[in-house]
Amino acid sequence: MADKINTTVAQNTLKDISKEVVSLEASAIISLFEINLSDIKTNLNLGSTDIAPDVLRFHGNESIGQRKISFRGDTYHPMPIQVDGFEMSSNGAMPRPTLFIPSLKGILEESEGNEYFMSLKRAVLELNNMIGAKVTRLRTFYKFLDASNTNLEGVGDFTSGTGNNPEFPKEVYFIERKMTEDSNGIQFELTSVLEMENFQLPGRLCLATRCPWNYRGEGCCYEFKANGNTDQH
């Protein structure tokens, strides 16, 4: 999944999403979830092969059932994830969503024959309940899933090109704490990066006499102009 897209592709995907939102027969909204463990593993001096892969991808869409689905070339595994509290309020407070993973016992049983769920099991048990892991919610319409989902009908209906499926803006949070754990499952509280412990603003000092970036290096304002990539985001 590409991190950067050019202006033309961004405009086309936005048009596709906007058109589908106001459609009288809009397809269902599909929610996908990514749990990125890379920062936790780095802090614990673990290698990339420990509890692989670094990013665990799941979906909890009942309409699709227990089938894996592909979006932008990535595979999302079925799991009954439940989320709440992503809505923004008008009082200025940042949302603190909750993520509920039903039945740890079920994950343990599933992990016996599935290496992917084994990684989730180990992440919960060995990485301090995944506290600090980055959780990303991706949302798109059913019709914008990859055409490679041969077990699904009516997908792959977009014109922005392979790997540029239209999607809503990503919602990125971090696991702040484990709220509850019982026989029904585990519930985590998520927080935005601005509310993480010990996070301070400004994150970078602005100096009047010098620029903190390497000239024409990563982050330098001259970087993209020098490479002719003025339309990159």
Side-chain angles (χ1 to χ4, degrees):
M1 181 169 55
D3 293 326
K4 296 180 180 179
I5 60 176
N6 62 48
T7 301
T8 302
V9 172
Q11 290 174 343
N12 289 339
T13 56
L14 180 59
K15 288 179 181 178
D16 287 341
I17 284 289
S18 301
K19 181 179 179 180
E20 189 68 12
V21 165
V22 299
S23 173
L24 296 178
E25 298 181 354
S27 59
I29 293 180
I30 301 297
S31 294
L32 309 170
F33 299 91
E34 296 180 351
I35 303 176
N36 192 322
L37 307 172
S38 58
D39 287 344
I40 304 177
K41 292 163 63 176
T42 298
N43 293 338
L44 295 177
N45 295 320
L46 297 177
S48 58
T49 57
D50 293 314
I51 313 183
D54 284 343
V55 182
L56 303 174
R57 296 182 172 91
F58 301 99
H59 78 86
N61 301 281
E62 295 181 359
S63 60
I64 296 178
Q66 296 300 308
R67 288 176 287 186
K68 300 176 184 178
I69 58 178
S70 177
F71 181 71
R72 291 193 170 186
D74 294 319
T75 301
Y76 294 80
H77 295 249
M79 189 171 68
I81 290 179
Q82 301 175 20
V83 295
D84 187 33
F86 276 89
E87 298 79 10
M88 300 291 292
S89 64
S90 59
N91 60 11
M94 297 293 294
R96 280 182 170 260
T98 58
L99 170 70
F100 183 75
I101 301 178
S103 181
L104 181 59
K105 179 181 178 181
I107 295 176
L108 297 177
E109 293 175 350
E110 188 72 24
S111 68
E112 297 300 324
N114 188 314
E115 293 183 0
Y116 205 84
F117 280 87
M118 174 64 77
S119 295
L120 177 60
K121 165 190 170 182
R122 291 188 58 196
V124 173
L125 298 179
E126 300 177 26
L127 298 182
N128 191 26
N129 295 305
M130 300 192 296
I131 293 176
K134 182 169 71 173
V135 178
T136 304
R137 182 172 78 154
L138 303 90
R139 294 187 303 153
T140 187
F141 286 102
Y142 174 88
K143 65 186 294 183
F144 297 147
L145 295 176
D146 289 356
S148 60
N149 293 288
T150 55
N151 56 346
L152 302 177
E153 297 182 358
V155 298
D157 185 11
F158 56 92
T159 60
S160 48
T162 303
N164 294 319
N165 313 46
E167 65 175 347
F168 290 92
K170 294 182 178 67
E171 298 167 279
V172 180
Y173 290 86
F174 293 83
I175 295 180
E176 173 75 6
R177 65 187 179 98
K178 180 178 70 175
M179 298 178 65
T180 60
E181 179 180 356
D182 53 31
S183 59
N184 295 320
I186 307 176
Q187 186 175 36
F188 299 98
E189 182 182 44
L190 310 181
T191 184
S192 75
V193 66
L194 295 178
E195 293 187 321
M196 292 185 68
E197 185 177 358
N198 297 326
F199 183 85
Q200 297 179 345
L201 287 176
R204 174 171 59 89
L205 295 177
C206 297
L207 306 176
T209 56
R210 62 182 296 272
C211 175
W213 305 111
N214 292 326
Y215 180 61
R216 296 190 184 276
E218 183 177 359
C220 178
C221 293
Y222 290 99
E223 176 187 5
F224 296 115
K225 292 182 179 180
N227 295 333
N229 297 326
T230 56
D231 62 341
Q232 293 287 327
H233 285 242

